[in-house]
Amino acid sequence: MQDTKINFSDYLHKSKSLKKNSSMQEVKVAFLSNFTINGLPEILKTKLHQEEIWVDYYNAPYNQYLQEIIDNHSGLYKKDPDLIFILLDVEKFLGDFFFFPYRYNLEQRKMLVMEKIEEIENVLAMLQERSKAKIVINDFVVPAYSSRGIIESKQEWGLTESIHRINESLRNICMNNNRLFTFPLNSFCSHHDSYPLAEPKIAYLTDMKISSDGLIGLASEYTSYFYPLASKSKKCLVLDLDNTLWGGIVSEDGLEGIKLGPDKEGKPFLDFQSLILELFERGVILAINSKNNYEDGLEVIRNHKYMLLREDHFACIKINWQDKANNIKEISKELDIGVDSIVFLDDDKTNRALIRELIPEVAVIDLPEDVSLYPQVIKNLKCFNLFNITKEDAERGKMYVDQKKRSVFKLSVDDLDAFIKKLEIKAVDRLADESTLNRITQLTQKTNQFNLTTKRYKEEEIEELFRSDHHLIESIMVEDKFGDYGTTGAVIVKKDLEEKCWNIDTFLLSCRILGKNIEFALMKDIIEKAKIAGMRSIKGRFISTKKNKPAENFFEDCGFVMTKMCNETKEYTFALSKEFKKEILVDV
């Protein structure tokens, strides 16, 4: 995520020499458009390559988007993409109405707009029926010119209002559909740093509606959809203090001398903190990594009247004189997250270079010399994007702060079982429903340590299993005296009614609740349900990976018997004529 400026032709040249390595997550993507977008796929491929995401793309033939969607044997469906981008030029889409809207009377204008909205709806419905991809459709750019001039805004169902109505309908179509997304191209064109629309001469000669700089900017925005699709979304923002969260050096300038507040030099830092606080409130974990005197740094956090980010917003605080690479490793360990889940912000170039060199998995973001641009850095972060923000996502930052309190409490208790009992844990097993499917999907994609098979599922696949009579999906919700963990575990069972056996396809728990006896409560529930259903046995597999060592002996601990071992896979069986003897220490 280093800010390296390269131009349009550099992206095209570089994309040709890119190689896929074995660690890369592949995403297949298709582009459908009614104007020239050549270069956009190559830019995206180059940008995402440095994020360890391999883009395998299909760029449909020029102005053939409808044919591609209608033809079952088109290149679009042969590619079987995970993600589809649709870019339509409003002039072509509206035809004569774009140039001569007032040849139509009011009722005709209404009718035409409604027909165009229905056309889009039908196209999207057909595409969803024939593809399992997530679909991103750009809204339409509203032209600044009108033959009605200054009274265009007074025209009922005029050109401007008609395009706004189409855009609003697009957003409504996509609103409650987890496979459809609207990209705000109209807003993008209004706020992009450089002029994003192509110069008239280029537009007439090539039918390229977006400039080369505009395509680079658009590709940057499009990366937002790839992070969650490739399970690469980040979890934690690690922040420096001096000249990052506030202006100045607290040990030299003192509490009153630092720049932070609603006026002049302090305003960029206040706005910067506001945007970070908003990230926290949607679930991003915050941590501090600062070379400073601990008391000085904490005094500002606790006592400065304009400090928005207080002590309870940070899940981990490292204010010391250690090198920052060691601090980040300790933050990763204490929060029990991978370093590849961390984003690091620091004004000091040397510290950024150190992290890039020693922990290349960390996403290091360059802060500009001009502090007035600090807020824009947060706005430009794409790596925290998710397709759905579940209850657990929104509360993740607070959950990790609560976890810090549990860690302190644990130090006061000598015996692990006593610690678990004093936490007053309550666990609720529940069958999956529409409200929990997104969270269960997330858990299958992200959980590594306590995951017996590490099978990954897409939303559409989980929904298909949910509707199947041959599968059972269950989740577990957990809370204790310090707070709510949310939905932190899931089981997927395949039912074999002929053999009277339940096969455990997936059994996983978030790392946040490991070591609290909850896994046994979940297994006991599955065993009891299988007995009630008249099953004779439960079977399961443990597939060893580099990260799931904590789950290695789980089946044996539950009383399962190993029946087969082959390479990294062990198979187990539990006869339901037996009793489940593991003590359950939590309230279920």
Side-chain angles (χ1 to χ4, degrees):
M1 293 191 181
Q2 194 167 4
D3 185 17
T4 51
K5 302 291 185 183
I6 61 176
N7 62 34
F8 184 78
S9 59
D10 290 334
Y11 276 111
L12 301 189
H13 177 73
K14 192 172 182 179
S15 70
K16 295 176 183 177
S17 60
L18 297 176
K19 305 284 187 203
K20 182 184 178 185
N21 63 53
S22 58
S23 65
M24 282 184 163
Q25 181 72 36
E26 181 176 289
V27 176
K28 292 187 288 184
V29 58
F31 297 86
L32 304 176
S33 180
N34 65 356
F35 61 94
T36 302
I37 56 167
N38 292 342
L40 178 60
E42 291 86 349
I43 298 167
L44 254 176
K45 183 172 185 173
T46 305
K47 282 180 173 288
L48 287 163
H49 191 270
Q50 62 188 0
E51 305 299 326
E52 291 291 299
I53 299 173
W54 179 258
V55 176
D56 180 12
Y57 67 83
Y58 173 73
N59 194 4
Y62 169 75
N63 199 20
Q64 298 289 303
Y65 77 98
L66 271 178
Q67 293 90 326
E68 289 282 316
I69 292 170
I70 293 168
D71 181 3
N72 275 318
H73 304 290
S74 68
L76 169 67
Y77 298 119
K78 288 177 183 176
K79 174 58 70 176
D80 189 22
D82 305 300
L83 185 61
I84 298 170
F85 290 105
I86 303 175
L87 302 89
L88 302 179
D89 173 49
V90 68
E91 177 186 325
K92 286 186 179 178
F93 183 71
L94 293 179
D96 280 350
F97 182 80
F98 181 83
F99 291 102
F100 307 108
Y102 303 109
R103 287 181 177 176
Y104 302 80
N105 64 37
L106 176 59
E107 288 305 314
Q108 288 173 328
R109 293 201 295 270
K110 284 183 181 180
M111 182 75 69
L112 187 139
V113 170
M114 299 311 294
E115 286 174 357
K116 286 298 182 181
I117 291 169
E118 185 178 3
E119 179 184 325
I120 294 174
E121 201 163 7
N122 290 339
V123 164
L124 291 175
M126 184 183 296
L127 194 49
Q128 286 181 93
E129 186 180 322
R130 298 180 179 188
S131 168
K132 292 183 178 180
K134 293 194 181 295
I135 302 160
V136 181
I137 181 166
N138 287 17
D139 68 12
F140 293 99
V141 177
V142 180
Y145 171 79
S146 166
S147 63
R148 292 296 189 267
I150 61 174
I151 60 170
E152 167 63 25
S153 61
K154 297 179 180 291
Q155 307 305 305
E156 191 176 0
W157 289 79
L159 179 63
T160 299
E161 184 185 350
S162 294
I163 297 173
H164 279 304
R165 284 181 180 271
I166 293 171
N167 286 342
E168 184 181 1
S169 295
L170 256 181
R171 286 189 289 273
N172 290 336
I173 291 166
C174 298
M175 182 69 70
N176 296 313
N177 188 317
N178 62 13
R179 288 178 56 200
L180 294 180
F181 299 85
T182 311
F183 178 79
L185 184 64
N186 187 55
S187 177
F188 167 81
C189 289
S190 301
H191 296 99
H192 193 256
D193 292 342
S194 58
Y195 191 65
L197 298 179
E199 295 177 7
K201 185 175 182 178
I202 299 296
Y204 281 124
L205 289 175
T206 67
D207 199 23
M208 190 172 175
K209 304 296 184 180
I210 301 175
S211 69
S212 55
D213 281 346
L215 288 176
I216 293 171
L218 189 59
S220 293
E221 295 297 323
Y222 278 178
T223 61
S224 301
Y225 299 92
F226 287 80
Y227 286 102
L229 199 59
S231 300
K232 293 275 188 178
S233 296
K234 307 298 183 184
K235 296 179 181 178
C236 179
L237 181 59
V238 177
L239 299 150
D240 178 41
L241 294 179
D242 290 334
N243 289 314
T244 300
L245 284 188
W246 56 71
I249 300 171
V250 64
S251 62
E252 297 176 4
D253 301 317
L255 181 66
E256 300 302 323
I258 64 171
K259 300 178 182 70
L260 178 63
D263 299 320
K264 297 181 180 178
E265 292 176 299
K267 188 65 162 62
F269 295 100
L270 189 66
D271 290 348
F272 186 61
Q273 285 198 29
S274 296
L275 291 166
I276 294 170
L277 180 56
E278 193 174 16
L279 285 179
F280 171 83
E281 290 178 354
R282 57 134 287 191
V284 173
I285 308 163
L286 301 183
I288 292 172
N289 185 3
S290 172
K291 279 192 174 182
N292 221 319
N293 292 321
Y294 183 80
E295 295 78 12
D296 291 341
L298 220 55
E299 183 184 13
V300 180
I301 293 169
R302 288 173 175 170
N303 300 322
H304 196 286
K305 65 179 179 178
Y306 291 119
M307 188 75 190
L308 295 179
L309 298 171
R310 298 295 185 179
E311 196 170 355
D312 272 356
H313 292 122
F314 297 101
C316 191
I317 296 176
K318 297 293 179 185
I319 304 174
N320 53 41
W321 296 103
Q322 281 194 151
D323 76 75
K324 295 203 172 185
N326 277 330
N327 276 346
I328 282 188
K329 289 175 183 176
E330 288 182 12
I331 289 169
S332 168
K333 186 176 180 181
E334 288 181 27
L335 297 180
D336 203 9
I337 59 174
V339 290
D340 59 352
S341 294
I342 290 174
V343 176
F344 179 58
L345 277 178
D346 193 314
D347 68 294
D348 188 279
K349 293 179 181 179
T350 304
N351 287 326
R352 299 199 299 261
L354 175 75
I355 303 303
R356 283 193 177 107
E357 178 67 27
L358 298 183
I359 321 177
E361 300 91 341
V362 172
V364 180
I365 309 298
D366 287 322
L367 280 175
E369 299 282 338
D370 183 354
V371 299
S372 69
L373 298 176
Y374 275 23
Q376 197 61 41
V377 170
I378 301 300
K379 293 176 182 178
N380 288 338
L381 286 177
K382 313 297 181 213
C383 53
F384 291 117
N385 272 286
L386 299 169
F387 285 128
N388 297 284
I389 297 180
T390 64
K391 175 177 177 286
E392 288 74 20
D393 293 324
E395 296 181 358
R396 182 182 291 116
K398 180 182 179 299
M399 288 176 180
Y400 275 85
V401 172
D402 292 342
Q403 185 62 26
K404 182 171 64 173
K405 296 174 184 175
R406 293 183 189 99
S407 299
V408 173
F409 176 68
K410 187 175 182 180
L411 296 175
S412 67
V413 182
D414 295 329
D415 179 71
L416 179 60
D417 286 354
F419 167 67
I420 293 172
K421 289 175 181 177
K422 286 185 177 182
L423 281 176
E424 301 170 14
I425 298 172
K426 296 179 182 178
V428 178
D429 301 314
R430 59 182 291 189
L431 293 174
D433 57 32
E434 296 285 354
S435 68
T436 57
L437 293 183
N438 289 332
R439 176 58 179 162
I440 291 168
T441 301
Q442 282 186 349
L443 286 168
T444 68
Q445 292 173 350
K446 296 180 178 181
T447 307
N448 295 307
Q449 294 185 41
F450 200 95
N451 192 334
L452 297 178
T453 56
T454 323
K455 292 182 73 172
R456 310 300 189 191
Y457 283 103
K458 298 177 182 177
E459 289 175 41
E460 295 76 24
E461 293 169 329
I462 289 290
E463 287 176 4
E464 192 173 323
L465 294 179
F466 170 65
R467 290 179 174 83
S468 165
D469 293 333
H470 302 292
H471 289 84
L472 175 143
I473 306 179
E474 185 172 296
S475 64
I476 190 164
M477 299 177 67
V478 181
E479 63 178 50
D480 65 19
K481 65 190 290 182
F482 291 105
D484 188 355
Y485 293 89
T487 301
T488 49
V491 181
I492 300 173
V493 169
K494 184 177 181 181
K495 303 174 185 178
D496 187 338
L497 299 182
E498 287 188 11
E499 295 290 326
K500 289 189 175 296
C501 174
W502 279 8
N503 295 287
I504 296 176
D505 170 273
T506 296
F507 191 109
L508 57 84
L509 286 181
S510 168
C511 60
R512 294 203 307 276
I513 57 169
L514 292 186
K516 295 180 176 64
N517 204 245
I518 293 161
E519 58 270 34
F520 299 109
L522 185 54
M523 180 58 82
K524 183 181 179 181
D525 181 72
I526 293 298
I527 288 172
E528 289 176 351
K529 282 185 169 70
K531 286 182 178 180
I532 292 169
M535 298 297 106
R536 294 197 188 102
S537 64
I538 294 181
K539 294 181 180 180
R541 291 180 301 158
F542 174 76
I543 303 173
S544 178
T545 70
K546 292 179 180 179
K547 295 184 178 181
N548 69 349
K549 187 77 173 174
E552 184 175 19
N553 299 316
F554 177 63
F555 278 123
E556 287 100 326
D557 292 341
C558 288
F560 281 67
V561 176
M562 187 169 69
T563 56
K564 185 178 179 181
M565 182 169 67
C566 181
N567 298 325
E568 303 300 319
T569 301
K570 297 177 184 178
E571 296 183 4
Y572 294 88
T573 299
F574 184 91
L576 291 171
S577 57
K578 297 194 308 180
E579 292 298 317
F580 183 79
K581 295 183 178 180
K582 189 73 178 178
E583 182 185 5
I584 305 300
L585 301 175
V586 301
D587 183 12
V588 182

